[in-house]
Amino acid sequence: MSSEKTSWTTERVARLGFLVGQGFGAKRIAEDPLIGSTPNNVHRQAQRFGLAFRDAAATALRLPPDAAARYDAAAAKRGLTREALIRLLLLVAADEPNLLDNILDDEA
């Protein structure tokens, strides 16, 4: 983004923390309308505020292209990363044992 914001307001820091926590990368965060910065500056500010980017290789799931596209579309619709959406689905399924059994038993 060409025009950088000049100060890191509480609102911008909160947004930065939220986006880092959702698993977004520095480039995508830099393009956020509220952040409006460069990837390098996003990294510097994240470090300044004690935020850590996740290792994408450690959390990446290898999915067939059609499944990845469906998860990506569902995640984008909800403003999440694919990993955040999958985590949410896993937590919902874990809270509903019958749902988990029904999904797994239907696949057998």
Side-chain angles (χ1 to χ4, degrees):
M1 181 163 274
S2 58
S3 64
E4 284 190 44
K5 310 279 185 191
T6 56
S7 65
W8 282 86
T9 63
T10 303
E11 185 180 26
R12 283 181 80 206
V13 173
R15 182 72 177 162
L16 173 64
F18 173 77
L19 294 173
V20 168
Q22 291 297 309
F24 289 92
K27 183 177 185 304
R28 191 162 174 193
I29 293 172
E31 295 169 351
D32 184 86
L34 183 59
I35 301 295
S37 191
T38 65
N40 285 340
N41 190 34
V42 166
H43 274 289
R44 281 192 304 273
Q45 298 307 321
Q47 184 176 16
R48 174 182 169 200
F49 296 112
L51 303 170
F53 289 91
R54 295 184 200 148
D55 179 8
T59 60
L61 295 173
R62 298 193 191 281
L63 298 171
D66 58 331
R70 285 193 297 271
Y71 279 113
D72 287 341
K77 181 177 176 181
R78 291 158 180 84
L80 300 171
T81 62
R82 179 193 313 166
E83 290 79 11
L85 177 82
I86 291 171
R87 181 178 185 279
L88 178 62
L89 288 170
L90 291 172
L91 292 172
V92 168
D95 280 345
E96 296 292 334
N98 292 333
L99 175 63
L100 186 58
D101 286 340
N102 288 336
I103 291 169
L104 295 174
D105 292 343
D106 285 349
E107 293 298 316

